[in-house]
Amino acid sequence: SAVISQKPSRDICQRGTSLTIQCQVDSQVTMMFWYRQQPGQSLTLIATANQGSEATYESGFVIDKFPISRPNLTFSTLTVSNMSPEDSSIYLCSVGPRTDTQYFGPGTRLTVL
Amino acid sequence: AQSVTQLGSHVSVSEGALVLLRCNYSSSVPPYLFWYVQYPNQGLQLLLKYTSAATLVKGINGFEAEFKKSETSFHLTKPSAHMSDAAEYFCAVSDRNMLTFGGGTRLMVKP
């Protein structure tokens, strides 16, 4: 299994600002995913980060709010833009096949005041 | 699309007691079923995976899960709970498009 790291591990941000979360994998992977885990809830897939092309967003998530970069096969970033308290969540990146075992990073715990 | 239901958002057991965490999926048989565990302040870790090779799947840390097609269930069990098992547990299923996660069950272990 891949070793995945995320930065920052947690942050407290002000309403209206943006935060960029980094995800680094110790090996080259084809597919990387970003999930949101709202307080007390399960994981929801935000988007698939595609290397060399635009990210693919799930229903309810848009690029203007969650821009994603994937400059190479080991790295991706997720930006949470124009934040509001409703964006307070844990954001996780994962790698693996879209419909099979995925391995997750430790998550970024975001609090928006 | 698949859906996953985990009965009981919170389960409390005594140390040494049986752990039973329930998971039901929607009617069509998914290719894969998973249990993940999330320890406090950590990401998700794969406990076990069902692939149709065997209905009883053994995972890490003494956990196992049994796939029952007639009941559309994939419940997670451990014969004897340990304090270190306290965590959030997620059942997940795959369909042709993505992984779908259940709402999670927080397991508390009392001394």
Side-chain angles (χ1 to χ4, degrees):
Chain A
S1 63
V3 176
I4 305 166
S5 60
Q6 286 185 233
K7 290 181 181 179
S9 58
R10 61 179 66 239
D11 207 340
I12 300 173
C13 300
Q14 295 298 319
R15 179 196 300 262
T17 63
S18 298
L19 176 71
T20 296
I21 302 167
Q22 299 178 7
C23 179
Q24 179 75 53
V25 189
D26 69 342
S27 58
Q28 293 186 340
V29 294
T30 303
M31 306 196 80
M32 295 180 73
F33 306 93
W34 287 99
Y35 287 83
R36 181 175 70 182
Q37 185 180 14
Q38 293 179 299
Q41 298 189 31
S42 188
L43 282 74
T44 303
L45 181 62
I46 298 171
T48 303
N50 303 307
Q51 197 272 328
S53 64
E54 282 195 1
T56 306
Y57 290 84
E58 300 300 316
S59 176
F61 297 96
V62 295
I63 187 171
D64 290 346
K65 177 66 176 178
F66 297 103
I68 288 171
S69 77
R70 179 86 194 271
N72 56 52
L73 292 174
T74 64
F75 186 78
S76 178
T77 67
L78 169 76
T79 298
V80 186
S81 302
N82 188 24
M83 289 184 286
S84 67
E86 292 71 34
D87 295 319
S88 297
S89 296
I90 301 172
Y91 292 87
L92 299 116
C93 68
S94 74
V95 302
R98 185 174 173 86
T99 58
D100 203 340
T101 306
Q102 291 179 17
Y103 296 95
F104 288 81
T108 295
R109 284 151 183 81
L110 172 61
T111 301
V112 184
L113 303 177
Chain B
Q2 284 281 356
S3 64
V4 185
T5 302
Q6 291 184 237
L7 291 176
S9 59
H10 292 79
V11 170
S12 181
V13 300
S14 297
E15 191 173 20
L18 171 71
V19 175
L20 171 61
L21 305 182
R22 300 177 187 274
C23 173
N24 289 87
Y25 59 92
S26 53
S27 58
S28 59
V29 178
Y32 305 121
L33 289 150
F34 309 86
W35 276 99
Y36 282 88
V37 60
Q38 185 177 36
Y39 296 105
N41 299 313
Q42 296 186 29
L44 275 71
Q45 179 181 355
L46 180 68
L47 266 182
L48 51 83
K49 169 187 172 183
Y50 166 76
T51 62
S52 77
T55 57
L56 184 64
V57 183
K58 294 188 182 300
I60 62 172
N61 301 338
F63 283 93
E64 62 183 34
E66 185 172 10
F67 172 73
K68 291 187 176 180
K69 182 178 178 180
S70 61
E71 299 177 6
T72 63
S73 69
F74 189 57
H75 300 334
L76 182 71
T77 60
K78 182 175 181 177
S80 177
H82 193 273
M83 296 297 291
S84 61
D85 295 326
E88 184 108 23
Y89 292 80
F90 292 94
C91 181
V93 302
S94 67
D95 60 18
R96 287 177 291 180
N97 184 46
M98 64 194 296
L99 295 186
T100 301
F101 289 83
T105 298
R106 182 166 299 278
L107 176 66
M108 294 167 284
V109 182
K110 299 175 292 187

